[in-house]
Amino acid sequence: MTVIERFLKYVTFDTQSDESTGVTPSTPKQLVFAKYLKTELEALGLEEISLDDNGYLFATLPANVDRDIPTIGFIAHMDTSPDMSGENVNPNIVRNYGGEDITLCKEEGIILSPKQFPELLDHVGEDLIVTDGRTLLGADDKAGIAEIIAAVAYLKEHPEIEHGKIRIGFNPDEEIGLGAHKFDVEKFGCKWAYTMDGGEVGELEFENFNAAAAKVHVKGRNVHPGYAKGKMINALLVANEFVGMLPENETPATTEGYEGFYHLIGMEGEVEQATVSYIIRDHDRQKFEARKIFMQKCAEKVNEKYGEGTVRVDIKDQYYNMRQQVEPLMHIIDIAFAAMQEAGVEPKVKAIRGGTDGAQLSFKGLPCPNIFAGGLNFHGRYEFVPIQSIEKAMNVIVKIAELTAKRY
């Protein structure tokens, strides 16, 4: 089975995660997919295969040399985003893409166009796997799973390629920020690993946002509106006032690169109470901490105006920038960089404007930079992945295994 055949099979599994359930995996359909993958790994003859009740699937490709080569790992997540349905995915292949608009769904007039998505033009002449416009595709991260399994199969078929012990791990619930929470790093048993969960070809990432979630609780006071002067505190208006205190040029729509932001993701309530939800992001740890302090100071100012207890801000850290964990071990980046070059891929070292399981795993003691899986426009109907990108990612995995062995 080719890497593309694997990918097209995997996207037929609906594996959306759901942050509201409070269990792991957050949806039982992820475990259905995990059990299928387990049968594939068994058929390949891998060893130390384990699937726990939480949906974490591990397996081993044994070393084929006797030298003391570090055990390395490759990791991908099984879930797809809750942002759009992943049920009944119906992928189509556009052969030898010529730069034109792609009709995804004629009946609903859904078009994938380089006018809105200019990155399409970077893949003229390639074969694109696209959606039918009704679901996401699932390249995030089923492309990564297909690439890892296909690479391991290739290494088994080519024993002349020397490699050390390789561990592979597939986890649930990455899309809701919980993929690494129950990942047993000690059981996985690697010196370092790579998540195959990046986007465009060549991406190599070992920096990500520091991240926190903030809940702003506003307590109002409701009285008859005809007699409200000097008495009423409208929680909705106070919430809007709080929102207006945050810098309008520090949002996702106005920032790029290493610039951080406050992202308003929800607001609900009535006169007596309101809740405002934010995520806070910054690559720089000091700036990240300053953002959290600034939100608390905004709350203090509101309370000075309306009375103590009107506004309360609860902030919970989610993950941190993995750079501080990876930087002392830059040889693992050097190996990935060289592997890309040998696979004919131009490395593009960049910071992730987001998070990754690798960030949390790095802080759990498993240094884990992120490598491209090849897909673009994740989490929606316009998601696509070039076949050539998937094939290149698979080759990079093989090269990483080979180069690691050569260094030891």
Side-chain angles (χ1 to χ4, degrees):
M1 189 185 300
T2 68
V3 63
I4 303 304
E5 289 170 336
R6 292 183 191 278
F7 173 68
L8 293 176
K9 174 63 177 179
Y10 299 162
V11 299
T12 65
F13 289 85
D14 178 14
T15 57
Q16 278 182 294
S17 47
D18 182 350
E19 63 183 352
S20 69
T21 65
V23 296
T24 307
S26 64
T27 52
K29 52 193 176 183
Q30 294 182 70
L31 200 54
V32 172
F33 184 40
K35 289 176 180 177
Y36 170 79
L37 291 175
K38 182 173 182 283
T39 64
E40 278 207 357
L41 302 180
E42 290 168 344
L44 283 173
L46 299 190
E47 300 179 5
E48 298 176 319
I49 300 171
S50 65
L51 174 61
D52 67 21
D53 292 339
N54 293 314
Y56 290 78
L57 175 61
F58 295 166
T60 295
L61 175 65
N64 62 2
V65 292
D66 293 330
R67 299 193 305 278
D68 186 17
I69 299 170
T71 300
I72 64 173
F74 295 94
I75 298 168
H77 64 88
M78 295 178 288
D79 64 318
T80 59
S81 171
D83 291 350
M84 191 169 194
S85 173
E87 185 178 10
N88 298 321
V89 172
N90 183 30
N92 296 306
I93 299 177
V94 179
R95 299 287 182 184
N96 192 25
Y97 175 63
E100 69 281 357
D101 287 356
I102 301 172
T103 299
L104 301 179
C105 180
K106 185 176 180 180
E107 295 81 4
E108 298 180 26
I110 300 172
I111 305 295
L112 177 61
S113 172
K115 294 175 184 176
Q116 284 77 45
F117 303 101
E119 57 270 23
L120 279 164
L121 299 179
D122 295 331
H123 300 281
V124 170
E126 298 181 6
D127 305 314
L128 311 184
I129 305 176
V130 301
T131 76
D132 66 358
R134 294 182 172 92
T135 67
L136 51 66
L137 179 60
D140 179 17
D141 190 24
K142 287 166 182 164
I145 295 173
E147 292 152 5
I148 292 168
I149 294 180
V152 168
Y154 185 89
L155 288 169
K156 280 188 67 70
E157 293 166 3
H158 293 81
E160 71 277 8
I161 302 175
E162 294 186 347
H163 60 82
K165 181 178 178 180
I166 296 171
R167 290 282 275 163
I168 65 176
F170 302 135
N171 59 268
D173 293 338
E174 188 271 352
E175 296 292 359
I176 57 173
L178 299 175
H181 282 216
K182 296 182 180 179
F183 193 109
D184 190 335
V185 168
E186 184 177 353
K187 179 180 177 180
F188 197 54
C190 292
K191 290 291 187 181
W192 70 85
Y194 302 92
T195 50
M196 300 299 298
D197 193 21
E200 182 64 274
V201 166
E203 286 185 3
L204 174 57
E205 301 155 328
F206 63 96
E207 296 181 77
N208 59 279
F209 276 139
N210 296 291
K215 284 277 190 184
V216 183
H217 303 276
V218 185
K219 183 178 180 181
R221 183 191 303 136
N222 196 8
V223 297
H224 190 290
Y227 306 94
K229 186 173 182 179
K231 301 174 184 177
M232 178 184 285
I233 298 175
N234 189 322
L236 290 168
L237 292 177
V238 175
N240 277 316
E241 189 172 335
F242 182 93
V243 170
M245 296 172 75
L246 299 180
E248 63 181 16
N249 63 339
E250 296 181 20
T251 70
T254 59
T255 53
E256 61 183 352
Y258 284 91
E259 297 171 332
F261 56 73
Y262 305 91
H263 181 27
L264 176 62
I265 59 172
M267 182 184 290
E268 59 183 4
E270 52 203 23
V271 173
E272 284 209 334
Q273 63 80 33
T275 304
V276 181
S277 301
Y278 275 93
I279 59 173
I280 306 168
R281 300 290 188 265
D282 210 301
H283 287 96
D284 184 282
R285 185 63 179 265
Q286 288 186 327
K287 292 180 179 178
F288 172 65
E289 298 298 334
R291 288 184 182 280
K292 294 188 289 182
I293 292 170
F294 181 73
M295 287 194 82
Q296 296 290 5
K297 288 189 178 297
C298 289
E300 290 174 10
K301 289 182 180 180
V302 174
N303 286 333
E304 288 173 6
K305 181 176 178 180
Y306 294 101
E308 191 64 34
T310 302
V311 171
R312 185 183 85 248
V313 180
D314 295 331
I315 298 176
K316 182 179 180 181
D317 287 357
Q318 296 170 306
Y319 52 83
Y320 302 110
N321 191 341
M322 74 171 109
R323 178 171 184 153
Q324 68 186 78
Q325 304 300 109
V326 175
E327 212 163 27
L329 303 165
M330 284 302 289
H331 65 281
I332 71 180
I333 302 298
D334 296 338
I335 289 171
F337 195 97
M340 288 187 188
Q341 291 179 316
E342 290 204 13
V345 174
E346 179 184 352
K348 301 171 184 175
V349 179
K350 56 179 289 190
I352 308 170
R353 285 184 61 81
T356 166
D357 283 336
Q360 297 183 49
L361 291 171
S362 293
F363 281 91
K364 291 181 73 170
L366 178 63
C368 199
N370 192 41
I371 292 176
F372 73 94
L376 297 99
N377 298 341
F378 293 151
H379 298 187
R381 68 181 81 245
Y382 301 105
E383 185 182 3
F384 72 94
V385 59
I387 286 176
Q388 289 78 4
S389 296
I390 291 178
E391 293 171 340
K392 287 175 181 176
M394 186 204 83
N395 291 334
V396 167
I397 296 170
V398 172
K399 286 294 182 182
I400 287 174
E402 182 179 4
L403 291 178
T404 301
K406 285 181 178 180
R407 289 197 175 211
Y408 293 88

